[in-house]
Amino acid sequence: MGDAAGISPELTARVLADAEVRAAAAITVIGDARVLAEGARVAGVTLDIDTGEGRPGERPSLRDLGHCDPAAVPLGQVSEAGGRFATANFRRALAMAAAGEADAVCFTPFNKAAMRLVTPDYEDEIGFTAEAIGFRGVAKEFNILEGLWNARVTSHVPLKDVAGLLSREAILENLRLTAGALRAAGVARPRIAVAALNPHAGDGGNFGREEIDVIGPAVEAGKAEQIGCDGPYPADTVFVRAKRGDFDAVLTMYHDQGQIAMKLIGFEAGVTLLGGFPFPICTAAHGTAYDIAGRGIAHPGAMRNAVLLAARMAVSGASRR
């Protein structure tokens, strides 16, 4: 369960009440029974929860940490209480997956400001996960709609630093990771479009040379490794082609270059995947929506898609093992 001050309790309850989700995975909820009960009340659903270990299609089980009285969390506000609840739940879920007690992790939305009240150096979920499980490899964030993925070379960095962080190896590394994540999700032969950095893909060097000196060579190196990639394509048109089915994924150079397009295409359906870890970690691509917390109107589509994707990837990972 994510931040108790937002829509996370409601979304948790709505997802647990979904028969297709229950059929897809044996779900263990980590949180507080009181917060979950409040989420069910807000959502207007009745939950059938077990305290044992279930199987797909059976009742979800609850690990009640007993650590959050919902009355003590100010609804719709950044708070230490909300951040502490989410942090403890996430850490416990990651420990379970790292120990082989779970095949995948999903979380309802966090608020980074609330998390930082508990963990001052908290940057994002990737860094937190790596620290929590002692991971030393490469992991990246993907945004996913049905039939369309977005990966990015740089993420939570100032825009002024992006060009200096691009390199042939960084782009090639992301192409490898993107192709692997797509295959794990069931795409047998991934097709990846690589976005340019500059307007009109640099216009032959008139608007910048990153496409000529860095991005283009990285794409050719990917092709040499049998990765199905092409580009660089102008960023203002590449998503039009991807949306009509020309590509399975778009690798963008910075955060908003892909996020804006993906959220315009399907804000209420988008999933965020943390790929590259030993197990899939998924969540909704939107945030805690403090402005509608407690109103019973949160749309569960993205969170539902997140759990179903995690289940598919977990099955794929288990078959490989």
Side-chain angles (χ1 to χ4, degrees):
M1 299 184 73
D3 190 341
I7 60 173
S8 283
E10 178 187 348
L11 288 180
T12 303
R14 290 190 185 279
V15 168
L16 294 175
D18 189 299
E20 184 179 353
V21 170
R22 292 196 307 273
I27 300 174
T28 298
V29 186
I30 301 173
D32 188 296
R34 296 167 293 179
V35 177
L36 182 57
E38 176 62 14
R41 185 195 68 77
V42 171
V45 299
T46 300
L47 299 179
D48 187 12
I49 302 293
D50 197 0
T51 56
E53 299 296 331
R55 292 180 296 179
E58 296 184 347
R59 294 184 297 170
S61 63
L62 172 65
R63 297 282 178 95
D64 183 7
L65 304 187
H67 58 325
C68 185
D69 180 353
V73 181
L75 198 63
Q77 298 179 36
V78 172
S79 68
E80 182 178 347
R84 191 172 301 282
F85 177 71
T87 301
N89 297 339
F90 193 31
R91 194 177 289 279
R92 175 67 67 89
L94 293 172
M96 287 177 62
E101 298 175 38
D103 299 306
V105 171
C106 288
F107 58 90
T108 45
F110 298 156
N111 182 284
K112 289 181 175 59
M115 303 288 261
R116 290 190 189 103
L117 294 176
V118 181
T119 307
D121 61 350
Y122 186 94
E123 182 176 331
D124 56 25
E125 286 72 51
I126 290 177
F128 184 92
T129 299
E131 180 274 328
I133 67 173
F135 181 75
R136 297 293 180 265
V138 177
K140 291 287 183 175
E141 185 176 295
F142 299 89
N143 287 103
I144 302 165
L145 296 168
E146 187 63 38
L148 177 57
W149 288 46
N150 171 224
R152 51 187 183 259
V153 180
T154 68
S155 188
H156 298 126
V157 300
L159 189 56
K160 66 180 177 61
D161 296 339
V162 168
L165 293 171
L166 299 180
S167 68
R168 176 185 175 278
E169 277 307 310
I171 296 168
L172 181 57
E173 181 181 81
N174 278 275
L175 285 170
R176 294 175 184 138
L177 189 59
T178 301
L182 281 161
R183 286 193 294 269
V187 180
R189 300 181 65 183
R191 301 163 301 159
I192 305 169
V194 179
L197 173 69
N198 297 300
H200 303 294
D203 189 35
N206 288 325
F207 306 145
R209 291 192 55 85
E210 284 81 6
E211 289 73 20
I212 298 170
D213 297 336
V214 179
I215 304 173
V219 171
E220 293 307 311
K223 290 178 179 178
E225 295 186 9
Q226 306 303 308
I227 298 172
C229 59
D230 208 355
Y233 294 110
D236 60 352
T237 57
V238 67
F239 278 94
V240 176
R241 294 188 58 185
K243 186 174 181 291
R244 74 186 183 200
D246 291 359
F247 305 104
D248 302 300
V250 178
L251 176 63
T252 50
M253 297 300 109
Y254 59 92
H255 186 278
D256 286 5
Q257 192 179 43
Q259 285 282 72
I260 292 171
M262 294 292 282
K263 291 186 177 182
L264 280 171
I265 294 169
F267 182 76
E268 292 183 334
V271 172
T272 295
L273 163 71
L274 307 186
F277 290 113
F279 45 86
I281 304 172
C282 296
T283 188
H286 58 71
T288 46
Y290 283 157
D291 57 321
I292 61 169
R295 294 172 57 188
I297 59 173
H299 195 291
M303 198 63 229
R304 179 180 184 276
N305 290 344
V307 180
L308 294 175
L309 174 65
R312 290 198 304 271
M313 294 188 74
V315 169
S316 174
S319 67
R320 290 196 304 275
R321 291 194 295 273

